[in-house]
Amino acid sequence: LFAMAECITTSKCHDPADTQTEEGPTPKKAKIVRSDNTAGTNTENDSLSSNSETHTCESCIKSLPRASYTKKQWNKVYGGWICNNCLAEQRSLLRDAEKEAQRLDKQNRHEQKLIDQKGKADGTFDGIDAIRRCLICQVSKPRKEYSGKQWKRLFRECESCVTVRMESGEKKKRPVGQVQAELLQIVSRFCSRCGDTKAKSDFSPKQWKQPADGERMCKVCWRREENARYEHRSAIEQEEIRRENNPLLPMTKLCFTCHNFKSPEAFSSNQRKKLYGSCTECVVVVHDRRRQGILQVKKARVCSICHLEKAFEDYARGQFARIDRRCRICAAAYVKERDEHRLAEKEMEDKRRLCEERGKKSPLTKRCFGCKLFKDVDGYSGRQWNKIFATCRACFKKDERALDGVENGPEGFERGGENEYPIDEPC
C-alpha cells in the first residue's frame, strides 16, 4: 500500500524488491503500537497510585485523597495541607469577621457623634474644663491629652493612642472593615434583654445578623418575649369578654411592662394606639434606665443634619442604618439643594460661553456648595476643585471655627473677596 501510494504521488513504479523493503517496516510499526499501549497502561497505573495516596489535613487531622485538596495545597512539599472543607470554613469565618469589624467600627463612630452632641448640650465640650472622647481608647480626656489637630477632629485620637499606633508601624488609621488576627476569634454577641454576651449558637440566624446591639435577642429571651406577648393578648381577650358581659365596666388598657390594667389616660397618645403599649410611668422608668446606660435599647436614631432623634418611620429605606443618616425632611431638602446647585452651574456655564463668543475674557470659576458663591481656583483646595459639589477654603475654616466654639458672625466669613464673582457677571 505504501509503495502504491508513492507510485501514484511520484508517478514512478517501484521494483518488487522495493515493495519488499517498504513492507518490511510494518512489523516494527506494530511494535511501536504495542509500546504506545504499554505506555498508556503505565500512565493509568500512575494515576491510580496517585489517587491511592493521601495527605493529612492540618486543620481537621484527617487523611484524605487527592480529590479533597486543591492543586496548590496538594503540591506543597513540606506539609501544611488544608482540605477544601476547612478552606471554605476559614473563608466564611473571615467574611463574618470583616462584617463584625465593620459593624463595630460604625457603632463606635455613631456613639462618638452622640457623645459629642451630649457634651455640647451639657457645656462640657468647650471651655477651660472641656473633655472630649477618644475614638480608639473610648475615654473622655481633657485638652492637654490631644494635639491641636486631633482636638478639632470628630473622630479624634489622643496622644497616647497616636504614639502606640506609630510605634506599632501603622502609618494610617485602620480603615473600616480591615481584619486583624484577633477579630477571627469573635464568635459571640450581645443580647439586649438579658445583657449577656453569648455564642452564635444561642441566636437565631436572623437575630445574629441584627447590626444593632439594642435590638438583638438570644433564643431564650426571644422565646420569653413571645410567651409574654401571648399572655398579653390572652389577658386582653378575657377582659373584652368580661366587658361584654358587663357593659358598665370602665374602659381600660393593659400595660405590657407592669401587666396592670389602667385607664387610657395613663397612656400617651402614641402608646395608646399600640397593642403592646406601656403606660407613662413605665416609659419614664425605661427612659431613666436608658440614660443611665442600664438598657441599650435604641428604637430611634439621631439625624445627622437636624440633630433630632426620630423614629424608624421618619427615615427612608437604607438611611436608618447609615452613620451619616438623614431623615426624610432633611433628605428632601438636600436633594433640592443639589438640584439648585447644578442649575446655577449650568447657567454660569452658558453665560461664560456667551462671553467667549463676544470675545471677552471669562475667568474659570466654580460654585461653592456651602456659601453659594462662585470662586476661582485659589478659593479651593486641589481636591475640592475636582468635585461637583465643592466646598471653598473659607467654608472649611468656618467649620473649624464652629468646632472650636468661636463666633463666626452671621455669615461665617467675609464676602466680596478678590476670588469671588457674582452670578450675573461671569466676565
Side-chain angles (χ1 to χ4, degrees):
L1 293 175
F2 288 112
M4 292 174 65
E6 287 186 358
C7 181
I8 294 170
T9 55
T10 59
S11 300
K12 292 181 181 180
C13 294
H14 296 274
D15 295 335
D18 295 336
T19 57
Q20 291 178 1
T21 56
E22 293 295 333
E23 292 176 358
T26 52
K28 293 182 180 179
K29 187 175 181 181
K31 289 181 181 178
I32 294 172
V33 172
R34 285 195 298 269
S35 63
D36 293 342
N37 292 334
T38 56
T41 55
N42 291 332
T43 55
E44 290 176 358
N45 293 332
D46 294 338
S47 63
L48 291 173
S49 62
S50 63
N51 288 332
S52 62
E53 186 180 356
T54 59
H55 285 337
T56 302
C57 178
E58 190 179 26
S59 182
C60 61
I61 320 298
K62 293 180 181 180
S63 296
L64 301 173
R66 169 68 181 84
S68 300
Y69 295 90
T70 61
K71 183 179 179 180
K72 184 177 180 180
Q73 291 291 331
W74 183 263
N75 293 333
K76 286 184 177 179
V77 181
Y78 301 103
W81 305 286
I82 301 176
C83 63
N84 295 332
N85 295 332
C86 296
L87 283 176
E89 185 177 357
Q90 289 181 5
R91 292 191 189 101
S92 64
L93 288 175
L94 186 66
R95 287 193 295 268
D96 293 343
E98 289 177 352
K99 292 180 181 179
E100 183 71 14
Q102 293 178 1
R103 187 191 64 81
L104 292 176
D105 191 79
K106 288 181 179 180
Q107 183 177 358
N108 186 21
R109 291 172 185 269
H110 177 64
E111 291 176 357
Q112 183 89 349
K113 291 182 178 181
L114 295 180
I115 291 174
D116 286 357
Q117 292 172 6
K118 184 178 180 182
K120 291 177 181 179
D122 297 341
T124 59
F125 189 80
D126 299 316
I128 301 176
D129 300 331
I131 55 173
R132 297 184 184 180
R133 180 178 181 264
C134 175
L135 181 68
I136 306 301
C137 61
Q138 302 178 7
V139 178
S140 298
K141 297 181 180 182
R143 171 67 180 83
K144 62 181 181 180
E145 298 291 337
Y146 297 90
S147 63
K149 191 174 182 179
Q150 291 289 340
W151 179 257
K152 299 176 183 179
R153 289 182 175 179
L154 173 61
F155 305 114
R156 63 194 71 86
E157 299 180 28
C158 62
E159 292 183 350
S160 59
C161 294
V162 173
T163 304
V164 171
R165 177 167 57 83
M166 297 301 293
E167 290 178 354
S168 62
E170 296 183 9
K171 295 183 180 180
K172 294 182 179 180
K173 190 167 59 175
R174 179 180 64 86
V176 177
Q178 183 177 353
V179 180
Q180 298 178 350
E182 65 270 15
L183 293 179
L184 294 175
Q185 307 297 329
I186 296 177
V187 291
S188 60
R189 282 190 172 180
F190 176 78
C191 175
S192 61
R193 294 297 184 268
C194 58
D196 296 335
T197 302
K198 298 185 178 182
K200 184 177 181 180
S201 59
D202 295 331
F203 294 88
S204 63
K206 184 177 180 180
Q207 290 294 324
W208 177 260
K209 296 177 182 178
Q210 179 65 251
D213 287 342
E215 300 176 4
R216 191 184 307 110
M217 289 187 290
C218 62
K219 292 180 180 179
V220 178
C221 296
W222 177 261
R223 195 176 299 111
R224 189 183 297 115
E225 184 82 6
E226 288 297 320
N227 293 336
R229 292 186 177 186
Y230 176 76
E231 294 176 357
H232 184 82
R233 292 194 299 268
S234 301
I236 292 177
E237 292 176 359
Q238 294 178 4
E239 181 67 17
E240 290 178 354
I241 294 173
R242 194 167 65 92
R243 189 177 293 110
E244 288 178 359
N245 297 331
N246 190 1
L248 298 178
L249 291 176
M251 293 294 296
T252 57
K253 182 175 177 59
L254 180 61
C255 176
F256 186 69
T257 304
C258 61
H259 307 291
N260 294 325
F261 283 95
K262 297 183 178 180
S263 62
E265 289 76 13
F267 297 83
S268 63
S269 59
N270 191 16
Q271 293 291 329
R272 198 179 302 145
K273 300 175 184 178
K274 295 181 179 180
L275 176 61
Y276 307 103
S278 299
C279 62
T280 306
E281 296 178 359
C282 296
V283 169
V284 171
V285 172
V286 170
H287 282 307
D288 292 340
R289 291 180 181 177
R290 187 181 299 174
R291 293 190 191 98
Q292 296 173 6
I294 298 176
L295 294 180
Q296 300 184 10
V297 181
K298 197 70 178 176
K299 296 294 184 182
R301 292 189 175 181
V302 179
C303 176
S304 62
I305 305 300
C306 61
H307 305 293
L308 297 177
E309 188 176 20
K310 296 187 178 182
F312 177 80
E313 295 78 10
D314 295 332
Y315 292 90
R317 181 180 180 183
Q319 286 288 333
F320 190 75
R322 292 172 62 102
I323 296 177
D324 54 342
R325 67 188 64 84
R326 294 183 177 91
C327 62
R328 295 181 184 274
I329 299 174
C330 297
Y334 182 68
V335 171
K336 182 179 179 181
E337 188 178 5
R338 288 165 69 100
D339 294 340
E340 293 176 353
H341 181 83
R342 291 192 185 96
L343 182 60
E345 285 277 0
K346 186 177 179 181
E347 292 178 357
M348 177 58 75
E349 186 65 26
D350 295 340
K351 293 181 180 180
R352 187 181 296 112
R353 191 181 300 108
L354 182 61
C355 290
E356 291 177 356
E357 291 176 357
R358 294 175 180 176
K360 298 181 180 180
K361 292 184 179 180
S362 177
L364 185 61
T365 59
K366 183 181 282 290
R367 187 175 186 264
C368 175
F369 192 67
C371 59
K372 318 299 182 187
L373 295 177
F374 284 88
K375 302 182 180 181
D376 58 6
V377 184
D378 297 335
Y380 298 88
S381 63
R383 185 177 180 181
Q384 290 292 326
W385 179 258
N386 297 325
K387 291 184 177 181
I388 298 177
F389 305 101
T391 304
C392 63
R393 299 179 187 271
C395 292
F396 268 117
K397 292 180 181 179
K398 170 189 173 183
D399 296 338
E400 290 179 359
R401 291 196 296 268
L403 187 62
D404 293 338
V406 180
E407 294 293 335
N408 297 318
E411 298 296 336
F413 54 90
E414 297 180 358
R415 295 178 179 267
E418 296 179 356
N419 59 342
E420 299 177 3
Y421 302 90
I423 190 171
D424 297 332
E425 300 177 2
C427 305

